Amino acid sequence: MSPHNARIRVNPVVVFNILDHYVRRNENQESVIGALMGSKTSDGSMEVRNSIPVPHTEGEEHLSIDVEFQRVMKELYQKVDTKNIIVGWYSTSYTENSQSLHDFYAKNIPNPIHMLVDPTLKGGSLNVKTLVSQTLQLGNRTLQPLFREVSFEWKILDAGKMALAMMMQQRMRKEQDEEEDEEMQSVKPWETMQVTMSRLHSNLTKAHNYVTKILNGEVKEDKNIGRALSSAMSQVPMVSPQTFDKVFNDSLQDMLMVIYLSKLTKSQLALNEKLHNTFAPSFLV
C-alpha cells in the first residue's frame, strides 16, 4: 500500500494535547510545533496516540528546534511503551518554514505525516488536517515538494468514550441549571407563589375527584394510591380555615415586606453611589 494512501487513525487526546500546548505558549509565539507519537504497521497504516510539545523559535531567516528536549521526552514515552515511535509532527499554523520542518523529521522518519490544527475555531468548528509531502515531477525535472491532504479517522477507546459521555452530561446539566436559574430570576416572587398555589389547587382537586369517584363506586380502589394520599394528608397540620388564612396572609405580608426592603436598599445604594460620584471630586485636595 502506498504510504500516501495508508490508513491513518488518530486518538482525540492528541488534539487536546496540541490545544493545551497552544494555550500555554509564550506571549511572543504565534504558533507551536511538536512531534506525533504512535505506531506503524507493515502495510503502512499509522496510529497516532500521543504528542510531544517541542520548544522552537522561528523567524523570516532563522529556525531552531530543541532537539535534545524532544529526544529526552521520546525516550521517556518509550519506557512506558516500547512500540511508541515518532510518526510525524504537528503545528498550529502553516508558515514558510513548514516544509523545512517536514524535511527535518523526514531525515529520520520514513513518510512522516504533518497534522495541522487550527485553534482559532474559524467557522465555528475545530479544523484538523493530516498532510503528507509529495514531490512533483514535470518530465525529467523535479519540482518543489508540496503538501497534500490525506484522510484520517478518529480512534476513540472505550475509556475515552466514557469520559466524553460524562463530560457531555455535566455540560448539559450545567446548561440546564443555568437556564433554570435565569427563569427563576426572571420570575417575580408573587408569580412563583401564584403558580405554586395553582398547582396545589389542581392536585387537591384531582385527589378530591378521585376519592369521590371511589366512594360513589365509579372507580375501583387502589391500595397504593390510598396509602400515598393518607401519607400526604397526615403531614398536613390540622388547622381551621380561619387559622390557615391568617398564617398564609402573615407569610405573604412578610414576603412582600422583604421584597420592599430589598428594593429600598438597592435604591439607597444607587443614590449613595451617585452622590459620591457627584460630590467626591470637590473634596479632593
Side-chain angles (χ1 to χ4, degrees):
M1 182 182 294
S2 172
H4 294 165
N5 298 324
R7 184 182 183 186
I8 301 175
R9 294 180 293 179
V10 180
N11 192 313
V13 174
V14 177
V15 179
F16 286 117
N17 290 342
I18 296 173
L19 294 176
D20 181 71
H21 184 196
Y22 179 79
V23 171
R24 299 174 186 271
R25 73 190 187 282
N26 297 328
E27 294 182 358
N28 57 346
Q29 274 190 314
E30 296 182 358
S31 64
V32 295
I33 67 169
L36 298 174
M37 299 290 294
S39 61
K40 284 186 177 181
T41 58
S42 57
D43 62 353
S45 298
M46 185 182 305
E47 181 177 336
V48 183
R49 294 191 293 265
N50 218 322
S51 62
I52 300 174
V54 179
H56 85 293
T57 58
E58 63 176 307
E60 295 181 357
E61 298 181 356
H62 75 279
L63 173 64
S64 63
I65 304 173
D66 194 339
V67 181
E68 182 64 18
F69 177 85
Q70 177 178 284
R71 183 189 65 81
V72 173
M73 292 299 297
K74 182 188 71 172
E75 292 177 355
L76 291 175
Y77 275 106
Q78 289 177 339
K79 287 183 179 180
V80 178
D81 185 359
T82 56
K83 296 181 181 180
N84 257 331
I85 61 173
I86 296 179
V87 296
W89 66 289
Y90 70 81
S91 68
T92 54
S93 65
Y94 185 85
T95 66
E96 57 185 5
N97 295 318
S98 293
Q99 187 61 53
S100 299
L101 285 167
H102 194 83
D103 294 340
F104 166 77
Y105 282 95
K107 291 179 181 179
N108 302 314
I109 307 169
N111 302 316
I113 64 168
H114 171 36
M115 179 177 290
L116 184 61
V117 180
D118 183 11
T120 59
L121 299 179
K122 292 181 179 179
S125 61
L126 181 64
N127 191 9
V128 181
K129 296 180 180 179
T130 50
L131 310 171
V132 295
S133 181
Q134 186 174 13
T135 302
L136 302 179
Q137 289 187 342
L138 183 60
N140 297 327
R141 182 181 176 185
T142 302
L143 303 178
Q144 186 75 13
L146 298 174
F147 282 109
R148 181 172 68 88
E149 183 177 357
V150 293
S151 61
F152 72 95
E153 59 186 48
W154 298 108
K155 182 181 180 181
I156 305 178
L157 302 177
D158 292 338
K161 292 180 181 179
M162 293 177 62
L164 289 174
M166 293 181 64
M167 291 171 63
M168 290 298 297
Q169 288 179 359
Q170 293 179 357
R171 176 68 178 178
M172 292 175 65
R173 289 175 183 174
K174 183 178 179 181
E175 291 178 352
Q176 185 177 1
D177 293 340
E178 291 177 351
E179 291 178 358
E180 291 179 355
D181 292 341
E182 291 179 356
E183 290 179 358
M184 290 299 295
Q185 292 176 2
S186 62
V187 177
K188 298 178 181 179
W190 53 85
E191 293 179 351
T192 305
M193 178 173 289
Q194 183 179 5
V195 173
T196 303
M197 296 305 297
S198 298
R199 290 178 180 176
L200 178 60
H201 182 268
S202 176
N203 292 333
L204 290 175
T205 302
K206 290 179 181 179
H208 179 267
N209 294 336
Y210 175 76
V211 173
T212 302
K213 289 181 179 180
I214 291 179
L215 295 176
N216 295 333
E218 300 177 7
V219 178
K220 185 178 180 180
E221 63 180 8
D222 189 328
K223 295 182 179 180
N224 293 328
I225 297 178
R227 292 191 187 99
L229 289 174
S230 177
S231 176
M233 295 303 296
S234 63
Q235 298 178 11
V236 179
M238 300 298 294
V239 295
S240 62
Q242 294 79 8
T243 305
F244 177 80
D245 289 341
K246 184 178 184 305
V247 173
F248 179 79
N249 291 329
D250 291 343
S251 300
L252 181 61
Q253 290 178 3
D254 292 340
M255 185 189 70
L256 294 176
M257 179 60 69
V258 171
I259 296 173
Y260 171 76
L261 291 176
S262 63
K263 290 185 177 181
L264 181 61
T265 303
K266 289 182 181 179
S267 300
Q268 289 181 346
L269 291 174
L271 180 60
N272 181 57
E273 183 179 358
K274 190 171 184 180
L275 291 174
H276 180 270
N277 294 335
T278 302
F279 296 103
S282 62
F283 292 103
L284 295 177
V285 178

